[in-house]
Amino acid sequence: ATITKDRTIDHNTHRQGQNRSSTTQKLTVHMVHHTHDDVGWLKTVDEYYSGIDDYIQRVQVELILDSTMEELIKDTNKRFSYVEMKFFSMWWKDQTDTMKDQVRQLVAEGRLELLNAGWSMHDEACPYYEDMINNMMAGHEFVMKEFGVKPRVGWQIDPFGHSNANARLFAEMGFDAFFFARLDYQDK
């Protein structure tokens, strides 16, 4: 399909089976394998982590991390990104020394990237800037202590609204890039 100037899709441009003209440009798609797990929203941190009360929301962060690490270790072509260090630290404390060494290797190889790496993916609209800093410091200290790396990418895909204070703070934290979602239509 072709995106036109008014952002509508022209479904008649390229129908399946028709030859495309030689001027058709290639589309590059980047897939970032990741998960976002709220550190408290509909359930408590412990309920999200363990998966209890699945009638509220079906999620078990511990299982996500167990199965992800298993797949990363098994297949060297796979990559994954993780954000919320509160959950990661809960999972980490229960791991064997062997698993911790394997995960450290995944991080060193860049196959597991700790994006943002705050204690949680904080909101941007309501918190005071000092709370944003403290949230990020807690996660970054954990990452530095356990992996000896500094997160390079800001990853704010869930907040409802963005603040210029957050972008400035992320820049001052030395992030190489900042990805976010839910941009207001008036800001596009």
Side-chain angles (χ1 to χ4, degrees):
T2 301
I3 306 287
T4 61
K5 275 187 172 180
D6 64 359
R7 305 259 190 246
T8 59
I9 297 175
D10 177 2
H11 294 280
N12 295 318
T13 302
H14 299 294
R15 294 204 181 267
Q16 188 172 356
Q18 289 182 347
N19 292 332
R20 294 183 176 194
S21 73
S22 60
T23 61
T24 302
Q25 294 180 354
K26 259 170 98 173
L27 174 65
T28 302
V29 177
H30 297 274
M31 295 185 68
V32 179
H33 300 275
H34 76 284
T35 183
H36 164 63
D37 304 305
D38 285 304
V39 180
W41 176 44
L42 300 174
K43 299 180 1 173
T44 67
V45 171
D46 292 327
E47 288 170 339
Y48 275 116
Y49 184 74
S50 67
I52 61 174
D53 292 336
D54 67 353
Y55 66 91
I56 297 171
Q57 187 180 35
R58 291 193 68 206
V59 65
Q60 184 178 357
V61 176
E62 181 180 23
L63 183 59
I64 292 169
L65 289 167
D66 283 343
S67 58
T68 297
M69 296 313 143
E70 180 182 325
E71 288 301 314
L72 288 173
I73 291 165
K74 193 170 28 175
D75 185 347
T76 59
N77 292 313
K78 291 184 178 173
R79 308 273 185 274
F80 195 79
S81 300
Y82 199 77
V83 175
E84 293 84 13
M85 292 304 104
K86 171 57 180 168
F87 288 128
F88 201 88
S89 70
M90 292 171 74
W91 178 83
W92 185 255
K93 73 177 175 54
D94 292 333
Q95 301 310 304
T96 65
D97 288 340
T98 300
M99 176 58 83
K100 287 181 178 182
D101 288 342
Q102 290 175 312
V103 173
R104 284 186 182 105
Q105 185 64 35
L106 293 171
V107 172
E109 293 171 357
R111 295 182 43 232
L112 173 62
E113 185 166 10
L114 302 172
L115 301 176
N116 214 46
W119 208 235
S120 66
M121 185 182 297
H122 62 260
D123 186 44
E124 294 183 39
C126 300
Y128 187 61
Y129 76 92
E130 192 172 283
D131 296 327
M132 294 173 168
I133 292 170
N134 290 339
N135 174 65
M136 298 302 286
M137 275 180 37
H140 286 208
E141 287 172 356
F142 168 78
V143 171
M144 183 56 75
K145 177 183 170 218
E146 297 298 338
F147 303 101
V149 298
K150 181 181 170 291
R152 301 176 316 116
V153 176
W155 188 261
Q156 289 285 95
I157 60 165
D158 195 44
F160 291 87
H162 297 282
S163 70
N164 59 357
N166 193 73
R168 182 183 59 81
L169 290 172
F170 278 11
E172 290 180 10
M173 289 177 197
F175 285 143
D176 295 335
F178 174 33
F179 294 89
F180 60 93
R182 296 190 178 124
L183 178 66
D184 187 276
Y185 75 96
Q186 295 174 344
D187 295 330
K188 291 183 180 179

Coordinates of all heavy atoms in Angstrom, one line a residue, residues 103-159:
V103 N 23.1 -14.7 31.6 CA 22.5 -13.4 31.3 C 23.5 -12.3 31.2 O 23.3 -11.4 30.3 CB 21.4 -13.1 32.4 CG1 20.8 -11.7 32.2 CG2 20.3 -14.2 32.3
R104 N 24.5 -12.3 32.0 CA 25.5 -11.2 31.9 C 26.2 -11.3 30.5 O 26.5 -10.3 29.9 CB 26.6 -11.4 33.0 CG 26.1 -10.9 34.3 CD 27.3 -11.0 35.4 NE 26.8 -10.5 36.6 CZ 26.5 -11.3 37.7 NH1 26.8 -12.6 37.6 NH2 26.1 -10.8 38.8
Q105 N 26.4 -12.6 30.0 CA 26.9 -12.8 28.7 C 26.0 -12.2 27.6 O 26.4 -11.6 26.6 CB 27.2 -14.3 28.5 CG 27.9 -14.6 27.1 CD 29.3 -14.0 27.1 OE1 30.0 -13.9 28.1 NE2 29.7 -13.5 25.9
L106 N 24.7 -12.5 27.8 CA 23.7 -11.9 26.8 C 23.8 -10.4 26.7 O 23.7 -9.8 25.7 CB 22.3 -12.4 27.2 CG 22.0 -13.8 27.1 CD1 20.6 -14.1 27.7 CD2 22.0 -14.3 25.6
V107 N 23.9 -9.8 27.9 CA 24.0 -8.3 27.9 C 25.3 -7.9 27.3 O 25.3 -6.9 26.5 CB 23.9 -7.8 29.4 CG1 24.2 -6.3 29.5 CG2 22.5 -8.0 29.9
A108 N 26.4 -8.5 27.6 CA 27.7 -8.2 27.0 C 27.7 -8.3 25.5 O 28.4 -7.5 24.8 CB 28.8 -9.1 27.6
E109 N 27.0 -9.3 25.0 CA 26.9 -9.5 23.5 C 25.9 -8.6 22.9 O 25.8 -8.6 21.6 CB 26.6 -11.0 23.3 CG 27.6 -12.0 23.7 CD 27.1 -13.4 23.6 OE1 25.9 -13.7 23.3 OE2 27.9 -14.4 23.8
G110 N 25.2 -7.9 23.6 CA 24.1 -7.0 23.0 C 22.9 -7.7 22.6 O 22.0 -7.2 22.0
R111 N 22.8 -9.0 23.0 CA 21.6 -9.8 22.7 C 20.4 -9.5 23.6 O 19.3 -9.7 23.3 CB 21.9 -11.3 22.6 CG 22.9 -11.5 21.5 CD 23.4 -12.9 21.3 NE 22.2 -13.8 21.4 CZ 22.2 -14.9 22.2 NH1 23.3 -15.2 22.9 NH2 21.2 -15.7 22.2
L112 N 20.7 -9.1 24.8 CA 19.7 -8.6 25.8 C 20.1 -7.1 26.1 O 21.2 -6.9 26.6 CB 19.7 -9.4 27.1 CG 18.8 -8.9 28.2 CD1 17.4 -8.8 27.7 CD2 19.0 -9.7 29.5
E113 N 19.3 -6.2 25.6 CA 19.5 -4.8 25.9 C 18.6 -4.3 26.9 O 17.4 -4.5 26.8 CB 19.4 -4.0 24.6 CG 19.9 -2.6 24.8 CD 20.1 -1.8 23.6 OE1 19.8 -2.3 22.5 OE2 20.7 -0.6 23.7
L114 N 19.1 -3.6 27.9 CA 18.3 -3.0 28.9 C 18.0 -1.6 28.6 O 18.9 -0.7 28.8 CB 19.0 -3.2 30.3 CG 19.3 -4.6 30.6 CD1 20.2 -4.7 31.9 CD2 18.1 -5.5 30.8
L115 N 16.9 -1.4 27.9 CA 16.5 0.0 27.5 C 15.9 0.8 28.6 O 15.3 0.2 29.5 CB 15.4 -0.2 26.4 CG 15.7 -0.9 25.1 CD1 14.5 -1.0 24.2 CD2 16.9 -0.3 24.4
N116 N 16.1 2.1 28.6 CA 15.5 2.9 29.6 C 16.1 2.6 31.0 O 16.8 3.3 31.6 CB 14.0 2.9 29.6 CG 13.4 4.2 30.0 OD1 13.7 5.2 29.5 ND2 12.4 4.1 30.9
A117 N 15.8 1.4 31.4 CA 16.3 0.7 32.6 C 16.0 1.5 33.9 O 16.8 1.4 34.9 CB 17.8 0.5 32.5
G118 N 14.9 2.2 33.9 CA 14.4 2.8 35.2 C 13.8 1.7 36.0 O 13.6 0.5 35.6
W119 N 13.5 2.0 37.3 CA 12.9 1.0 38.1 C 11.5 0.7 37.5 O 11.1 -0.5 37.5 CB 12.7 1.6 39.5 CG 12.7 0.6 40.6 CD1 11.6 0.5 41.5 CD2 13.6 -0.4 40.9 NE1 11.9 -0.6 42.4 CE2 13.2 -1.1 42.0 CE3 14.9 -0.7 40.4 CZ2 13.9 -2.2 42.6 CZ3 15.6 -1.8 40.9 CH2 15.1 -2.5 42.0
S120 N 10.9 1.6 36.9 CA 9.7 1.4 36.1 C 9.7 2.4 34.9 O 10.6 3.2 34.8 CB 8.5 1.8 37.0 OG 8.4 3.1 37.3
M121 N 8.8 2.2 34.0 CA 8.6 3.2 32.9 C 7.7 4.3 33.5 O 6.5 4.1 33.5 CB 8.0 2.6 31.7 CG 7.9 3.5 30.5 SD 7.1 2.8 29.0 CE 8.3 1.4 28.7
H122 N 8.3 5.3 34.0 CA 7.5 6.3 34.7 C 6.6 7.1 33.8 O 6.8 7.3 32.6 CB 8.4 7.3 35.5 CG 9.3 8.1 34.6 ND1 10.7 7.7 34.5 CD2 9.1 9.2 33.9 CE1 11.2 8.6 33.6 NE2 10.3 9.5 33.3
D123 N 5.5 7.7 34.4 CA 4.7 8.6 33.7 C 5.4 9.9 33.5 O 6.4 10.2 34.2 CB 3.4 8.9 34.6 CG 2.4 9.7 33.8 OD1 2.1 9.4 32.6 OD2 1.8 10.6 34.5
E124 N 5.0 10.7 32.6 CA 5.7 12.0 32.3 C 4.9 13.2 32.7 O 5.4 14.2 32.9 CB 6.1 12.1 30.9 CG 7.2 11.0 30.5 CD 7.6 11.2 29.0 OE1 7.8 12.4 28.6 OE2 7.8 10.2 28.3
A125 N 3.5 13.0 32.7 CA 2.7 14.1 32.8 C 2.5 14.6 34.3 O 2.4 15.8 34.5 CB 1.3 13.8 32.2
C126 N 2.5 13.7 35.2 CA 2.2 14.0 36.6 C 3.4 14.1 37.5 O 3.4 15.0 38.4 CB 1.2 13.0 37.2 SG -0.3 13.0 36.2
P127 N 4.4 13.3 37.4 CA 5.4 13.3 38.5 C 6.3 14.5 38.5 O 6.5 15.1 37.4 CB 6.2 12.0 38.2 CG 5.9 11.6 36.9 CD 4.6 12.2 36.5
Y128 N 6.8 14.8 39.6 CA 7.8 15.9 39.8 C 9.1 15.4 39.2 O 9.4 14.2 39.3 CB 7.9 16.2 41.3 CG 8.8 17.4 41.6 CD1 8.5 18.6 41.1 CD2 9.9 17.2 42.4 CE1 9.3 19.7 41.4 CE2 10.7 18.3 42.7 CZ 10.4 19.6 42.2 OH 11.2 20.6 42.5
Y129 N 9.9 16.2 38.6 CA 11.2 15.8 37.9 C 12.1 15.0 38.8 O 12.8 14.1 38.4 CB 11.9 17.0 37.3 CG 12.6 17.9 38.2 CD1 14.0 17.6 38.5 CD2 12.0 18.9 38.9 CE1 14.7 18.4 39.4 CE2 12.7 19.7 39.7 CZ 14.0 19.5 40.0 OH 14.7 20.3 40.9
E130 N 12.1 15.4 40.1 CA 13.0 14.6 41.1 C 12.6 13.2 41.2 O 13.4 12.3 41.3 CB 12.9 15.3 42.4 CG 14.0 14.8 43.3 CD 14.1 15.7 44.6 OE1 14.7 16.8 44.5 OE2 13.6 15.2 45.6
D131 N 11.3 12.9 41.1 CA 10.8 11.5 41.2 C 11.2 10.8 39.9 O 11.5 9.6 40.0 CB 9.3 11.5 41.3 CG 8.8 12.1 42.7 OD1 9.6 11.9 43.6 OD2 7.7 12.7 42.7
M132 N 11.2 11.4 38.8 CA 11.7 10.8 37.5 C 13.1 10.4 37.7 O 13.5 9.3 37.3 CB 11.5 11.8 36.3 CG 10.1 12.1 36.0 SD 10.1 13.4 34.7 CE 8.4 13.4 34.1
I133 N 13.9 11.3 38.2 CA 15.4 11.1 38.4 C 15.6 9.9 39.3 O 16.4 9.0 39.0 CB 16.1 12.4 38.8 CG1 16.1 13.4 37.8 CG2 17.5 12.1 39.3 CD1 16.5 14.8 38.2
N134 N 14.9 9.9 40.4 CA 15.1 8.8 41.4 C 14.7 7.5 40.9 O 15.3 6.5 41.1 CB 14.3 9.1 42.7 CG 14.9 10.3 43.5 OD1 16.0 10.6 43.4 ND2 14.0 10.9 44.3
N135 N 13.6 7.5 40.1 CA 13.2 6.2 39.4 C 14.3 5.7 38.5 O 14.6 4.5 38.5 CB 11.9 6.5 38.6 CG 11.4 5.3 37.8 OD1 11.1 4.3 38.4 ND2 11.5 5.4 36.5
M136 N 14.8 6.6 37.7 CA 15.9 6.2 36.8 C 17.1 5.8 37.5 O 17.8 4.8 37.2 CB 16.1 7.3 35.8 CG 14.9 7.6 34.9 SD 14.3 6.2 33.9 CE 15.6 6.1 32.7
M137 N 17.5 6.5 38.6 CA 18.7 6.2 39.3 C 18.6 4.8 39.9 O 19.6 4.0 39.9 CB 18.9 7.2 40.4 CG 19.7 8.4 39.9 SD 19.9 9.7 41.2 CE 20.3 8.8 42.7
A138 N 17.5 4.4 40.5 CA 17.3 3.1 41.1 C 17.6 2.0 40.1 O 18.3 1.1 40.4 CB 15.9 3.0 41.7
G139 N 17.0 2.1 38.9 CA 17.2 1.1 37.9 C 18.6 1.1 37.3 O 19.2 0.1 37.2
H140 N 19.2 2.3 37.1 CA 20.5 2.4 36.5 C 21.6 1.9 37.5 O 22.6 1.3 37.1 CB 20.8 3.8 36.1 CG 20.1 4.2 34.9 ND1 20.6 5.2 34.0 CD2 18.9 3.8 34.3 CE1 19.8 5.3 33.0 NE2 18.7 4.5 33.2
E141 N 21.4 2.1 38.8 CA 22.3 1.6 39.8 C 22.3 0.1 39.8 O 23.4 -0.6 39.9 CB 22.0 2.1 41.2 CG 22.4 3.6 41.3 CD 21.9 4.2 42.6 OE1 21.2 3.5 43.4 OE2 22.2 5.4 42.9
F142 N 21.1 -0.5 39.7 CA 21.0 -2.0 39.6 C 21.8 -2.5 38.3 O 22.6 -3.5 38.4 CB 19.6 -2.4 39.6 CG 19.4 -3.9 39.2 CD1 19.6 -4.9 40.1 CD2 19.0 -4.2 37.9 CE1 19.4 -6.2 39.8 CE2 18.8 -5.6 37.6 CZ 19.0 -6.5 38.5
V143 N 21.5 -1.9 37.2 CA 22.2 -2.3 35.9 C 23.7 -2.2 36.0 O 24.4 -3.1 35.6 CB 21.6 -1.5 34.7 CG1 22.4 -1.8 33.5 CG2 20.1 -1.9 34.6
M144 N 24.2 -1.1 36.5 CA 25.6 -0.9 36.6 C 26.2 -1.9 37.6 O 27.3 -2.5 37.3 CB 25.9 0.5 37.1 CG 27.4 0.9 37.2 SD 28.3 0.6 35.6 CE 27.8 2.0 34.6
K145 N 25.6 -2.1 38.7 CA 26.1 -3.1 39.7 C 26.2 -4.5 39.2 O 27.2 -5.2 39.3 CB 25.2 -3.1 41.0 CG 25.7 -4.1 42.0 CD 24.7 -4.0 43.2 CE 25.0 -5.2 44.1 NZ 23.9 -5.8 44.7
E146 N 25.1 -4.9 38.5 CA 25.0 -6.3 38.1 C 25.7 -6.6 36.7 O 26.1 -7.7 36.4 CB 23.6 -6.8 38.0 CG 22.9 -6.8 39.4 CD 23.6 -7.7 40.4 OE1 24.3 -8.7 40.0 OE2 23.4 -7.5 41.6
F147 N 25.7 -5.6 35.8 CA 26.1 -5.8 34.4 C 27.3 -4.9 34.0 O 27.8 -5.1 32.9 CB 24.9 -5.7 33.5 CG 23.8 -6.6 33.8 CD1 22.7 -6.1 34.5 CD2 23.8 -7.9 33.5 CE1 21.6 -7.0 34.8 CE2 22.8 -8.8 33.8 CZ 21.7 -8.3 34.4
G148 N 27.5 -3.9 34.8 CA 28.6 -3.0 34.4 C 28.4 -2.2 33.2 O 29.3 -1.8 32.5
V149 N 27.1 -2.0 32.8 CA 26.8 -1.2 31.6 C 25.9 0.0 32.0 O 25.2 0.0 33.0 CB 26.1 -2.0 30.5 CG1 27.0 -3.1 30.1 CG2 24.8 -2.6 31.0
K150 N 25.9 1.0 31.1 CA 25.0 2.1 31.3 C 24.0 2.1 30.2 O 24.4 1.9 29.0 CB 25.8 3.4 31.2 CG 25.1 4.7 31.3 CD 26.0 5.9 31.2 CE 25.3 7.2 31.1 NZ 24.6 7.3 29.8
P151 N 22.7 2.1 30.5 CA 21.7 2.1 29.4 C 21.9 3.2 28.4 O 22.3 4.4 28.8 CB 20.4 2.3 30.2 CG 20.7 1.8 31.5 CD 22.1 2.2 31.8
R152 N 21.7 3.0 27.2 CA 22.0 3.9 26.1 C 20.7 4.5 25.4 O 20.8 5.5 24.7 CB 22.9 3.3 25.0 CG 24.2 2.8 25.5 CD 25.0 2.0 24.4 NE 24.2 1.1 23.6 CZ 24.0 1.3 22.3 NH1 24.6 2.3 21.6 NH2 23.3 0.4 21.6
V153 N 19.6 3.9 25.7 CA 18.4 4.3 24.9 C 17.2 4.5 25.9 O 16.9 3.7 26.7 CB 18.0 3.2 23.9 CG1 16.7 3.5 23.2 CG2 19.1 2.9 22.9
G154 N 16.6 5.7 25.7 CA 15.4 6.0 26.5 C 14.2 5.3 25.7 O 14.1 5.4 24.5
W155 N 13.3 4.7 26.5 CA 12.2 3.9 25.8 C 11.0 4.2 26.6 O 10.7 3.6 27.7 CB 12.6 2.4 25.9 CG 11.7 1.5 25.2 CD1 10.7 0.7 25.7 CD2 11.8 1.2 23.8 NE1 10.1 -0.1 24.8 CE2 10.8 0.2 23.6 CE3 12.5 1.6 22.7 CZ2 10.5 -0.3 22.3 CZ3 12.3 1.1 21.5 CH2 11.3 0.1 21.3
Q156 N 10.2 5.1 26.2 CA 8.9 5.5 26.9 C 7.7 5.3 25.9 O 7.2 6.2 25.4 CB 9.0 7.0 27.2 CG 10.0 7.4 28.3 CD 9.5 7.0 29.7 OE1 9.8 5.9 30.2 NE2 8.7 7.8 30.3
I157 N 7.3 4.0 25.8 CA 6.2 3.7 24.9 C 4.9 3.7 25.5 O 3.9 3.5 24.8 CB 6.5 2.3 24.2 CG1 6.6 1.2 25.3 CG2 7.8 2.4 23.4 CD1 6.5 -0.1 24.7
D158 N 4.8 3.8 26.8 CA 3.4 3.6 27.5 C 2.9 4.9 28.1 O 1.7 5.0 28.2 CB 3.5 2.5 28.5 CG 2.1 2.1 29.0 OD1 1.3 1.9 28.1 OD2 1.9 1.9 30.2
P159 N 3.6 5.9 28.4 CA 3.0 7.1 29.1 C 2.0 7.8 28.2 O 2.1 7.8 27.0 CB 4.2 8.0 29.3 CG 5.4 7.1 29.4 CD 5.1 6.0 28.4

